[in-house]
Structure formats: structure tokens, C-alpha cells
Amino acid sequence: MSNRVRMGMVGGGPGAFIGAIHRFAARLDGEIELVCGAFSSSAEKSKSMAEELSLDPARCYASYSDMMAGEAALPQSQRMEFVSIVTPNHMHFPVAKAALQAGFAVLSDKPATLDVKEARALRKIVEKSGKAYGLTHTYLGYPLVGEARGIIEAGGIGEVRKVYVEYIQGWLATPIETKQADWRTDPKRSGGSGCMGDIGTHAHNLAEFMTGKRMTHVAADLTTFVEGRRLDDDGSCLFRMEDGVKGTLSASQICVGKENSLSIRIYGEIGGLEWRQEEPNTLIRTYADRPTEILRAAQGYLSEGAQDGFRTPPGHPEGYLEAFANVYLDFARALRSGGGVVTGIEGGVRGMAFVEALLKSSAKHSKWVEIK
Ligand SMILES: NC(=O)c1ccc[n+]([C@@H]2O[C@H](COP(=O)([O-])OP(=O)(O)OC[C@H]3O[C@@H](n4cnc5c(N)ncnc54)[C@H](O)[C@@H]3O)[C@@H](O)[C@H]2O)c1
């Protein structure tokens, strides 16, 4: 019998964006197998997705609750081990709750929940279940992001002082009507924030991961530029982190022509680091007294951990799918070894508390607000 980790999926039906990416990522290294799914809120669409994926029809379910019950009734050696959640945000909490309570681990897409109240409730459920819970903050899967974190941890840039993180896109610059835009601009399905919940949470997570510091306070200015839209489509904040680190974070979905421009620059007492998601195989390291270094993917001079994250030799570019696959691989191995996950429920709660603080601050004319 295969020793692959058995995965079920909720969401990711016909026409969905991220579900298919998750499925590619999960199977890239051959350690995970998709065994069941409830791919859509429509039973018919779920069935057609299962057919496209050649899944056993008996394990294609009409709803996520049917899936939890159906899988729990199977012998342990056959039933799924974890559920990948790739639905719009409002379904993250109910699906994660049902999965954990039925005895399954959860790997959910971000943001963890609709709001911080739900995130705290989910934390209790995770703790009670004793099951693993992870979030697919994809960008932490890039090996050079891990390399940067390692350099900072080892004191390579000295005490961190300043962080600039920016995540800008242009696809919501006009009132478009796609499946993806529809729920992202609806407070009931997206949460209290549009842009910040959707991509600001990635920027927050990346800044905390790379520096190893928690963000503690924000002074934010959120805007809805497109007329009639119900949630912010742009925002910036000043932030403070532990140990006196200061920074700025900008996220926007109205920057015409921008695709997926996530970038971060971090400066310490003796050096700096710069990384851009659209050029993910380069990490720039700056010094006060030496020329700037350009670190490149898969090179032997990188740390062992970073080298392990690549699948192809130097000069053969890797990208989004491989980063996503690294997140899946880490999670699958954590399940097998009982080890920790990269972004777990604590990171999820912090992400939602960050969004709540932004909303409060922006509503109070950008007053400083503590992230609680
Ligand atoms: N990690 C990343 O980089 C990244 C990138 C894009 C999206 N996301 C996140 O992924 C999630 C999905 O985003 P998307 O753009 O793929 O959305 P989407 O609208 O393209 O797809 C959502 C899918 O969920 C299904 N669904 C909705 N309700 C359901 C239910 N009750 N049961 C089963 N399936 C249901 C829909 O039918 C659809 O197939 C969001 O939470 C989003 O924030 C993360």
C-alpha cells in the first residue's frame, strides 16, 4: 500500500483559481495523494470536477459535511488524513471546524477565517482536537525567503531596524465581474477588509517570518477607490514590531498594470536584504563596507535548508508552483513526523488581528492601534 499522505479537498471546483494550483503543488513530489473531495457548493459541479480528476466516484461528496462523515466511516488506512480548504474566506472556519472535530488535520488557504473572533474560536478547536493545522502562506515556501530569514536569525544584517513590504496588483482597478472578484468584494464572504484581508495578510506574514519579530502596532489608511465597491481595494500602514523595529506596509489591487508585485526590503545595523516575488530566484544582500551581493537560487553557497528547497539546478528557474509544493511538503512531513508547521493557527490569529487593527486605525483617522 502507498505511504502517501491522503488528502481531501473542499473547494477548487470548475473555474476556481487556487484549487488547481493546490492540487499541482500537492502532487509535485509524489508524497501526497488526493483521495476525495467536495469541490463546490453545487453537488453537480463537485461531481464533474471529480470526473475530470478521475477520482473514485464514491469519494466525491455533495457537501463538506458529507465528506467528513463519509471519510470518518472508512477504515483508518484508507480515509483521508488532512483536508485542504480552498473555498472563499467565509467557508474556512466552518470547514476547518468540521474537519478537526471529525479527527482530520487541516491545511487551509489564507486568511484563516473571516475575522479575529472566528480565528480565536478556531484556535480553541485546534488545541482541543490535537490535530495539525496549517495555513498556505505560499510565499514562505520560496527557498530564498527562508535563506533571508536564516541570515537575519544568524545576525547577518545586525539588529533589524526597518522593514518595507509592499504587495500591489492591478486586477481590481475597475469594477470587474469575475467569480474571484465577486466574493472578494463582498463583506459577508471576504471579511471586514478586501485588499488587506486578501493580500495584506501575506505581506504581514512575510514580514513577521523573515524578521522573526511580531508586529505590535499599526497606523493605517485604507481606501476604496472603485466607486460602489463595499470593501477597501487599497491601503498602507506604518507599523511597529517587537524590539523597536519600524516599517511600512502597502497593499493595493488598483495599481494598473501591476501583476503580483510582492516585495520586501529589510535593513539592520550592518546590512540589508531585498527580495521580490516576481524575481524569486534572486536575493540581494547589501553591506555598509562591501559591494552588494546577488544570491541566486540553488547555488552551493546557500544554506543547506535553502538548497533542499529547490528541485532543479542553478539557472533553471523555479517559481510559484514549487513554492506552493514546499508548503505542502512541509505540512505532509509534519503530519508524518508529528513536527510543527510553518504557519499554524497562531499565525492565523495574528493575521486576523492585524486586519482588525488596520480597520480600527483607519476608521480613527490613522490613529496608532495595538494588534491584540
Ligand atoms: N495562497 C495564495 O497565494 C492564494 C492565492 C489565491 C487565493 N487564495 C485563497 O484561496 C481561497 C480561494 O480563492 P479562489 O480565488 O480560488 O476562489 P474561487 O472563487 O476561484 O474558488 C472557490 C471555490 O470554492 C468553491 N466553494 C464555495 N463554497 C463551497 C462550499 N460550501 N463547499 C465546497 N466548495 C465551495 C467554489 O465553488 C469554487 O470552486 C480564498 O480564501 C483566497 O483567499 C490564496
Side-chain angles (χ1 to χ4, degrees):
M1 186 179 286
S2 149
N3 190 34
R4 290 190 190 139
V5 180
R6 296 178 301 281
M7 159 174 131
M9 178 169 269
V10 178
F17 162 36
I18 210 70
I21 308 263
H22 279 249
R23 290 190 291 265
F24 284 134
R27 68 171 177 256
L28 193 66
D29 297 290
E31 295 192 22
I32 300 168
E33 181 182 8
L34 178 69
V35 295
C36 63
F39 299 103
S40 165
S41 50
S42 138
E44 210 165 300
K45 285 189 186 161
S46 185
K47 194 166 163 237
S48 84
M49 193 71 235
E51 277 166 11
E52 197 181 313
L53 296 168
S54 305
L55 266 193
D56 176 356
R59 295 177 81 179
C60 166
Y61 298 93
S63 70
Y64 72 87
S65 27
D66 283 2
M67 180 166 117
M68 305 311 163
E71 289 295 308
L74 292 173
Q76 198 164 1
S77 61
Q78 287 173 33
R79 70 176 79 130
M80 69 174 170
E81 293 168 78
F82 79 98
V83 182
S84 165
I85 304 175
V86 288
T87 61
N89 304 350
H90 69 298
M91 293 306 299
H92 292 179
F93 176 73
V95 177
K97 179 179 174 190
L100 292 159
Q101 290 181 342
F104 302 111
V106 168
L107 183 59
S108 171
D109 217 319
K110 44 50 63 180
T113 52
L114 217 46
D115 58 34
V116 70
K117 204 170 144 215
E118 265 190 8
R120 291 191 185 116
L122 185 58
R123 177 168 56 195
K124 282 198 182 137
I125 296 165
V126 172
E127 284 164 1
K128 194 164 172 214
S129 75
K131 293 285 162 191
Y133 173 90
L135 275 173
T136 50
H137 272 296
T138 326
Y139 305 107
L140 306 196
Y142 283 98
L144 287 182
V145 165
E147 181 76 4
R149 178 186 161 98
I151 290 170
I152 293 172
E153 218 169 28
I157 64 168
E159 287 299 320
V160 179
R161 290 171 163 167
K162 183 89 188 177
V163 179
Y164 297 90
V165 61
E166 181 182 276
Y167 195 161
I168 58 176
Q169 305 175 328
W171 70 292
L172 287 177
T174 54
I176 60 165
E177 287 174 17
T178 61
K179 183 181 175 68
Q180 284 73 30
D182 183 48
W183 68 258
R184 278 181 173 80
T185 55
D186 172 3
K188 286 204 176 84
R189 290 178 287 165
S190 192
S193 159
C195 174
M196 282 297 178
D198 195 30
I199 58 174
T201 46
H202 274 307
H204 165 263
N205 176 263
L206 185 67
E208 286 203 341
F209 177 76
M210 281 172 81
T211 58
K213 314 266 184 214
R214 289 178 182 213
M215 209 179 274
T216 58
H217 297 79
V218 289
D221 182 24
L222 309 188
T223 307
T224 306
F225 277 106
V226 173
E227 218 181 303
R229 186 166 283 159
R230 287 173 290 168
L231 292 171
D232 54 278
D233 47 28
D234 172 272
S236 298
C237 72
L238 298 176
F239 64 79
R240 297 177 187 149
M241 301 182 101
E242 295 169 317
D243 302 324
V245 178
K246 302 254 171 137
T248 67
L249 182 153
S250 248
S252 184
Q253 294 176 312
I254 53 90
C255 295
V256 176
K258 282 308 207 184
E259 292 172 339
N260 200 48
S261 188
L262 169 64
S263 65
I264 186 161
R265 289 173 288 150
I266 301 174
Y267 299 97
E269 290 168 320
I270 57 166
L273 289 161
E274 303 179 18
W275 181 81
R276 289 180 50 217
Q277 197 269 160
E278 289 177 336
E279 289 291 339
N281 295 307
T282 296
L283 175 67
I284 294 175
R285 184 169 181 182
T286 57
Y287 298 88
D289 54 358
R290 276 167 61 180
T292 294
E293 282 175 357
I294 297 176
L295 307 181
R296 292 283 297 158
Q299 290 288 354
Y301 50 69
L302 298 176
S303 65
E304 224 171 276
Q307 290 186 53
D308 282 352
F310 291 103
R311 294 166 183 78
T312 56
H316 298 74
E318 294 193 17
Y320 190 58
L321 290 178
E322 290 89 347
F324 231 120
N326 286 339
V327 175
Y328 265 89
L329 202 54
D330 279 342
F331 188 74
R333 291 184 177 169
L335 280 191
R336 283 284 185 258
S337 68
V341 300
V342 179
T343 306
I345 188 62
E346 278 309 321
V349 172
R350 279 210 303 287
M352 298 319 298
F354 162 71
V355 172
E356 186 187 67
L358 293 177
L359 289 167
K360 271 194 192 158
S361 168
S362 191
K364 289 184 189 165
H365 305 287
S366 311
K367 214 175 135 191
W368 280 100
V369 168
E370 188 179 355
I371 302 175
K372 288 192 180 143

